Amino acid sequence: MGGFGYPRLFAHRGGGALAPENTLAGIRLAARLGFRGVEFDVMLSADGIAVLIHDEALSRTTDGAGEVASTPYAELSRLDAGSRFHSAFGGEPVPRLEAALACCARLGLVANVEIKPAAGLDGETGRIVGNSVVRGEPGAVLLSSFSEAALAAARSQAPAVPRALLFEAPPPDWRGRLSGLECLALHCAARYLSPELAAALRAAGIPFACYTVNDRAAAADLYAAGAAALFTDRLDLFDPRNPDGS
Ligand code: G3P
Ligand code: MG
């Protein structure tokens, strides 16, 4: 697994706060605003189709009810994932991973595919996502997950697609966990990036990226600490061509 050209900013959950999360409308909006990278979350339907969604339950972001993992794709495909955000996005579907990847490829976006398995489905989700990304353009996809089992399964299918291990707060043994999965990078919650951790990552030459940064001053501090990239909801706040405002 070679290096990876991080965009300096990723639009979080597709279009951040400007569009319904994890939708193609969000991804398109990020591209229109000049973003080069988008992050989105991927889970399996009951019949093993990889779709973009963050929660295990359908109710927060769609007009459906129940769990993603117990709903067949045919049913998911009829849901409205836009209206809860705003009626202007009514009818926006829950996208399949393949559609999101094709959209990113068309728009020249780097996709950070966050594998977000429903409970107990780590290996299966990683395997299916790995299979979906293996044929993409080199450098177009970065896989990440909080689930080490999911990343391991993705690696078995797509060993050459770069991986980042995702933590809220990196544990003391982060180094061994990253090397065990041959991860290129560490992603973590911005509030848990201590100066000591940043220094250790810099010294080890391991790229790192932080979520979710919705404030210019915090972003400047994180870039100064060596962050390769940041995830943001505030697509309106940052100029993706000049994210640190320099
Ligand atoms: O991948 C970074 C970030 O998206 C992780 O948190 O909960 O928004 O998926 P979450
Ligand atoms: Mg995510």
Side-chain angles (χ1 to χ4, degrees), residues 5 34 72 75 108 146 153 171 180 182 211 215 227 231 239:
E75 261 179 63
F146 289 108
E182 298 172 290
Y211 68 90
D215 172 274
F231 300 89
D239 176 357

Side-chain angles (χ1 to χ4, degrees), residues 16-35:
L18 296 183
E21 67 184 51
N22 289 310
T23 61
L24 298 186
I27 292 171
R28 288 190 204 105
L29 184 59
R32 280 206 297 282
L33 291 172
F35 277 70

Side-chain angles (χ1 to χ4, degrees), residues 12-13 39 41 54 114 116 146 166 211:
H12 184 227
R13 302 189 192 176
E39 181 266 0
D41 308 294
H54 180 277
E114 186 196 329
K116 189 79 110 183
F146 289 108
L166 182 51
Y211 68 90

Side-chain angles (χ1 to χ4, degrees), residues 36-231:
R36 285 192 45 239
V38 292
E39 181 266 0
F40 49 79
D41 308 294
V42 177
M43 201 178 286
L44 297 184
S45 65
D47 43 353
I49 304 295
V51 296
L52 272 58
I53 196 156
H54 180 277
D55 297 2
E56 291 194 36
L58 289 162
S59 56
R60 182 177 62 84
T61 56
T62 79
D63 59 349
E67 302 286 308
V68 179
S70 47
T71 308
Y73 176 71
E75 261 179 63
L76 290 180
S77 70
R78 290 193 288 270
L79 298 180
D80 178 342
S83 292
R84 291 245 188 281
F85 180 84
H86 194 282
S87 57
F89 291 94
E92 189 63 32
V94 174
R96 288 177 71 136
L97 172 58
E98 277 78 8
L101 291 173
C103 181
C104 288
R106 258 192 324 274
L107 297 170
L109 293 167
V110 172
N112 176 196
V113 178
E114 186 196 329
I115 310 169
K116 189 79 110 183
L121 294 173
D122 303 61
E124 184 70 350
T125 310
R127 190 179 62 72
I128 289 174
V129 172
N131 224 288
S132 300
V133 300
V134 72
R135 284 169 296 278
E137 281 291 305
V141 173
L142 171 67
L143 293 171
S144 67
S145 191
F146 289 108
S147 165
E148 292 176 46
L151 271 188
R155 175 177 64 166
S156 72
Q157 303 300 307
V161 176
R163 290 174 296 284
L165 189 50
L166 182 51
F167 298 107
E168 186 178 10
D173 62 346
W174 58 266
R175 214 183 274 264
R177 290 174 187 262
L178 258 67
S179 61
L181 287 164
E182 298 172 290
C183 286
L184 159 104
L186 179 149
H187 294 180
C188 71
R191 66 182 172 284
Y192 291 112
L193 184 84
S194 63
E196 297 72 28
L197 174 59
L201 286 158
R202 283 195 312 269
I206 298 173
F208 59 95
C210 298
Y211 68 90
T212 307
V213 182
N214 293 329
D215 172 274
R216 276 179 195 280
D221 289 348
L222 288 159
Y223 286 130
L230 304 176
F231 300 89

